[in-house]
Amino acid sequence: MPTDALEVKNSAEDVATEAADRFVAAAAAAIEARGRFGVALAGGSTPVVCYSLLARAPRRDAVDWGRVHLFWGDERCVPPDDPESNYGSAARALLDHLPVPPAAIHRIRGEIAPDRAAAEYEATLLSWLDEGEAGGGGSRGALDMVLLGLGADGHTASIFPGSDIFRRELDGVNPRRRWVVPVFTPSQNRWRVTFTTVPINQAREVLFLVTGPAKAATLREVLAPPGNTIRFPAQLIRPVQGRLRWLADEAAAAEIPRNQGIPA
């Protein structure tokens, strides 16, 4: 696996700008190589700033949006117009301003029962992936890019410490190698639907966006040299063949020794 890379930016806005530029570059490369670009979006304030930048010139005009397929790594079980919907946030910042074909916007239906929403979304994702690489051959494709955030508790997507899915992933007993599952978060008394580590770790590029001082201690531990016990869901993200990259602002990276290597 390629060596992980951490890039530290001055501010959250700089992280969002760099993420937008990497989105544009990844889209161009994927469309040239395979004729389409599949990306899973993340929720959170920094990704939303990134989406707003993508919706404006010059980045807007640098992407062939007719060949972009949008997925979401997780979603709260709320209607799409709910203020807490990850889809809704992306729609307001990005989709409402771009000519993305409706059939290429693959949202998680948070307004239906969690089990049904997860099963439906897994089928949607696998159907898209099963179209395979350009030229056919029957191989399963992969998402070209997955954007992720890091919670102060070490969660990513909606894989939380202490959750059933985290314990199963740690034990290597993800049933049927599920790609999408429902998860209940007792602290919020809410259901969510989330990618497991399977589609994330199959992706060609995984990009974490981490900002703010509340994430500093967690980021230090997540990026600590290998050999430590896995405590955080984010530590389970290890792409099989793709590249894992981290973008952090100065506040989030404040506790990482400047001479610390990033684990391979």
Side-chain angles (χ1 to χ4, degrees):
M1 180 182 112
T3 301
D4 296 356
L6 168 67
E7 186 170 345
V8 179
K9 297 293 184 179
N10 290 332
S11 66
E13 291 76 12
D14 291 337
V15 168
T17 299
E18 179 66 22
D21 288 339
R22 293 191 182 192
F23 181 109
V24 171
I31 291 168
E32 180 179 4
R34 291 172 293 279
R36 65 180 189 173
F37 175 58
V39 57
L41 303 182
S45 58
T46 301
V48 167
V49 175
C50 168
Y51 306 151
S52 296
L53 292 170
L54 288 168
R56 302 197 301 268
R59 296 176 183 87
R60 177 194 61 210
D61 304 323
V63 176
D64 183 352
W65 293 102
R67 296 179 181 271
V68 173
H69 287 256
L70 297 167
F71 295 85
W72 277 260
D74 71 321
E75 182 60 277
R76 298 174 180 89
C77 288
V78 297
D81 57 354
D82 189 285
E84 295 195 355
S85 166
N86 287 340
Y87 162 79
S89 296
R92 291 186 292 273
L94 180 67
L95 305 180
D96 291 349
H97 312 284
L98 296 173
V100 180
I105 300 172
H106 309 284
R107 76 173 182 90
I108 299 170
R109 293 208 296 157
E111 68 272 24
I112 65 176
D115 286 350
R116 181 182 166 199
E120 177 183 278
Y121 205 60
E122 182 172 274
T124 296
L125 176 64
L126 292 178
S127 176
W128 189 85
L129 295 173
D130 280 340
E131 294 176 13
E133 306 287 11
S139 62
R140 171 164 287 166
L143 288 168
D144 297 292
M145 173 176 274
V146 175
L147 300 177
L148 293 174
L150 175 71
D153 61 356
H155 84 266
T156 194
S158 284
I159 308 173
F160 288 85
S163 66
D164 287 343
I165 183 59
F166 180 48
R167 288 192 293 269
R168 291 198 298 267
E169 296 270 10
L170 278 176
D171 295 339
V173 292
N174 177 354
R176 297 194 298 106
R177 295 298 288 165
R178 290 289 304 274
W179 293 59
V180 182
V181 296
V183 59
F184 184 72
T185 52
S187 63
Q188 300 172 349
N189 193 33
R190 167 172 287 159
W191 282 94
R192 299 176 181 229
V193 172
T194 185
F195 279 3
T196 67
T197 62
V198 179
I200 300 172
N201 285 335
Q202 293 293 329
R204 294 184 175 90
E205 180 176 352
V206 179
L207 183 61
F208 273 92
L209 311 182
V210 189
T211 59
K215 315 288 180 66
T218 303
L219 184 62
R220 180 196 66 226
E221 294 195 45
V222 168
L223 297 182
N228 295 341
T229 300
I230 292 179
R231 296 181 51 207
F232 304 112
Q235 292 173 292
L236 294 172
I237 306 306
R238 291 289 169 185
V240 177
Q241 295 182 332
R243 184 166 186 177
L244 174 60
R245 299 177 176 181
W246 296 80
L247 286 176
D249 66 358
E250 288 282 0
E255 296 191 22
I256 297 176
R258 288 298 184 245
N259 61 350
Q260 176 179 309
I262 306 303

